[in-house]
Amino acid sequence: IGSVNSFPQKSTKGSVVLGYVFRHLNLVEIDYFGLRYCDRSHQTYWLDPAKTLAEHKELINTGPPYTLYFGIKFYAEDPCKLKEEITRYQFFLQVKQDVLQGRLPCPINTAAQLGAYIIQSELGDYDPYKHTAGYVSEYRFVPDQKEELEDAIERIHKTLMGQVPAEAEVNYLGVAKSLEMYGVDLHPVYGENKSEYFLGLTPVGVVVYKNKKQVGKYFWPRITKVHFKETQFELRVLGKDCNETSFFFEARNKVTCKHLWKCCVEHHTFFRVPENESNSLSRKVSKFGSIGYKHRYSGKTSLRMTRDPSVQLPRPDQSIERSRSKTYPKRTQQTGSKNMSQITTNGENEGTTKIIAPSPVKSFKKMKNENSPETQRSKTSAPWEENGPQR
C-alpha cells in the first residue's frame, strides 16, 4: 500500500487509511479484513480504525516510512458463504499464503488437492500441449515442497476440467476450512510451572494447546469475561452446570498480554451471537455479567455481515482482476514418483490423528515478570513448529 503514503497525516484516523485500501481493492465485505504492522520488537498489532495514526505509538516509532500489511483479521467460519466473489478471492489469497508459509499445516493428500485447485485457478484446464512435464514445479504450495507432491497435484489437476477460477477457489476454501488450524490466531502464553501453552483465537472460540495437543476449547457464547492485569490474562468460562471457571495464563510481558486481550475482545464481539438472537444459554451468560473491558470493537459483527440489508450483495457485473503467483524454474530432473500410493486424492484427512482433549488446568499461579522469557515474539505457525515464519 505504498501509494497510501502520499496523503495520510499523523492526525488521520485509521478508518480513513483502511477506507482507502478497501476502495482500492473494491471490497464491500470489509469487516473481515485489517491492516497489520510490527513494532521494533516484532510484536504485531492491528491498525485501530478509531484511533489516529499518531495514537499508534508502536507504528510511529518504526518510521517513516511506515509498513502496513493487508490481511484477514477475522476468518469466516465458512468462507464459501461469503457473498461476493472478490471477498472469497481475497480469502483464497490469504489462506493460500497461510499454507505456503506453514501457518496452516495440512497432510500431504490435502496439500495435493489444494495445490490442484490453485493450478486450475491460475492455468485453467489441463492441456498436454501447454502443460509439459514438470509444469507444477514452477509454483510453490507448501514449505519444503517435494516432487512427490507436485506429481500428485498434476494428476488431480487433470480431473478438474471445466472449473472456472471462481469455482476452483471456492472448492479450495471448502477443503481448507476443515483443516484443524484454519483461522487460528495463535498467542504464546505460560501456565503452571512455566509450561508453554498457545491460545488460539478461532471463529468458534478459544482453543488451548499444550505439547502439540488441544487441551481445552471454549466457545464464544460460553466465555463471560476476558481480563488482563500486568502480564496475567484471565478467561472466564460458563460451564454446563452454569458455574463459572476462570483460567489464568501468563504472557511474556505487558505488551503481549494487552495485545492478546484486545484480539480476544474483538474476536469475542465479532463472532459471539448477540443476545436477541440467542437461546437460553446466552441469556444465562448475560445474567453473569458482561465481557468486562474498556476496549470496544467498532465494526460489524459476523452476524450483521451476513444479514445487513443496507447493501445488496453480490453487486451486479463485478469483474475481478486476478494476480498471478510468483513462478520458479522448472525441476530439470524428473526422478519419478516415490511412494505415490501414500498420496490419496479423495480429500480425506489421511495421516492426521484425532486427539481426545484431556481436562484443562483450571488455574495457574502468577509468575514473577522477571522470570518471563525474552519480550520478542518468535513463536508462530503451529505450536509444534519451532522455526516457522512469522504471521
Side-chain angles (χ1 to χ4, degrees), residues 246-264:
S246 284
F247 298 84
F248 293 92
F249 300 91
E250 192 77 12
R252 295 184 175 187
N253 53 64
K254 294 179 185 178
V255 172
T256 57
C257 194
K258 184 176 182 180
H259 176 66
L260 166 60
W261 168 75
K262 287 184 72 172
C263 290
C264 196

Side-chain angles (χ1 to χ4, degrees), residues 57-331:
K57 302 296 185 186
E58 302 86 359
L59 174 63
I60 297 301
N61 291 337
T62 63
Y66 308 105
T67 303
L68 301 166
Y69 301 89
F70 176 79
I72 297 175
K73 187 174 185 180
F74 303 114
Y75 283 75
E77 185 174 359
D78 187 353
C80 302
K81 292 182 179 178
L82 294 166
K83 293 181 179 180
E84 290 211 306
E85 183 182 332
I86 184 65
T87 317
R88 295 191 293 271
Y89 176 61
Q90 289 296 337
F91 264 73
F92 166 74
L93 292 178
Q94 175 73 75
V95 176
K96 184 172 70 166
Q97 189 177 52
D98 291 345
V99 174
L100 174 61
Q101 296 182 348
R103 291 187 295 268
L104 182 54
C106 56
I108 190 170
N109 63 290
T110 306
Q113 188 75 49
L114 293 175
Y117 287 132
I118 292 173
I119 291 293
Q120 181 69 22
S121 175
E122 293 248 354
L123 303 180
D125 292 346
Y126 174 78
D127 183 337
Y129 296 102
K130 290 194 298 184
H131 305 140
T132 55
Y135 72 99
V136 174
S137 68
E138 296 182 39
Y139 297 85
R140 296 293 176 266
F141 309 95
V142 296
D144 193 27
Q145 185 169 304
K146 298 291 192 297
E147 187 178 343
E148 290 79 14
L149 174 63
E150 295 163 6
D151 291 343
I153 289 172
E154 180 177 340
R155 287 193 294 110
I156 301 172
H157 178 216
K158 293 176 181 178
T159 70
L160 302 181
M161 300 291 285
Q163 290 191 18
V164 297
E167 186 180 357
E169 289 154 13
V170 167
N171 289 334
Y172 180 99
L173 293 173
V175 173
K177 71 180 182 182
S178 64
L179 292 169
E180 181 184 355
M181 299 301 293
Y182 165 78
V184 180
D185 180 21
L186 286 170
H187 297 258
V189 291
Y190 294 87
E192 60 183 5
N193 301 321
K194 302 179 186 177
S195 55
E196 188 173 63
Y197 290 76
F198 280 83
L199 297 185
L201 310 182
T202 79
V204 297
V206 178
V207 181
V208 185
Y209 297 96
K210 182 182 180 183
N211 296 332
K212 305 183 183 182
K213 296 181 180 179
Q214 185 185 117
V215 296
K217 187 172 186 178
Y218 313 114
F219 296 99
W220 294 123
R222 291 190 174 273
I223 295 174
T224 59
K225 185 176 181 180
V226 177
H227 180 71
F228 84 100
K229 184 177 181 181
E230 298 292 326
T231 59
Q232 189 180 64
F233 178 77
E234 177 188 357
L235 199 65
R236 191 175 298 174
V237 182
L238 182 69
K240 293 180 180 179
D241 56 0
C242 289
N243 292 322
E244 288 182 305
T245 302
S246 284
F247 298 84
F248 293 92
F249 300 91
E250 192 77 12
R252 295 184 175 187
N253 53 64
K254 294 179 185 178
V255 172
T256 57
C257 194
K258 184 176 182 180
H259 176 66
L260 166 60
W261 168 75
K262 287 184 72 172
C263 290
C264 196
V265 164
E266 293 184 341
H267 273 73
H268 187 282
T269 309
F270 186 83
F271 288 111
R272 181 178 170 182
V273 178
E275 290 175 26
N276 59 0
E277 297 286 342
S278 64
N279 53 21
S280 58
L281 169 63
S282 290
R283 287 196 291 273
K284 289 174 185 175
V285 169
S286 65
K287 198 172 86 172
F288 278 93
S290 68
I291 192 75
Y293 47 74
K294 292 181 180 179
H295 174 65
R296 300 290 176 183
Y297 167 67
S298 57
K300 294 177 183 176
T301 64
S302 177
L303 189 68
R304 283 184 60 200
M305 289 286 289
T306 58
R307 299 186 180 181
D308 188 359
S310 63
V311 181
Q312 295 299 316
L313 298 177
R315 292 167 288 175
D317 304 322
Q318 289 292 304
S319 61
I320 298 176
E321 186 178 338
R322 288 174 166 82
S323 57
R324 299 300 298 267
S325 298
K326 182 179 179 181
T327 55
Y328 300 82
K330 279 186 184 179
R331 289 187 188 273

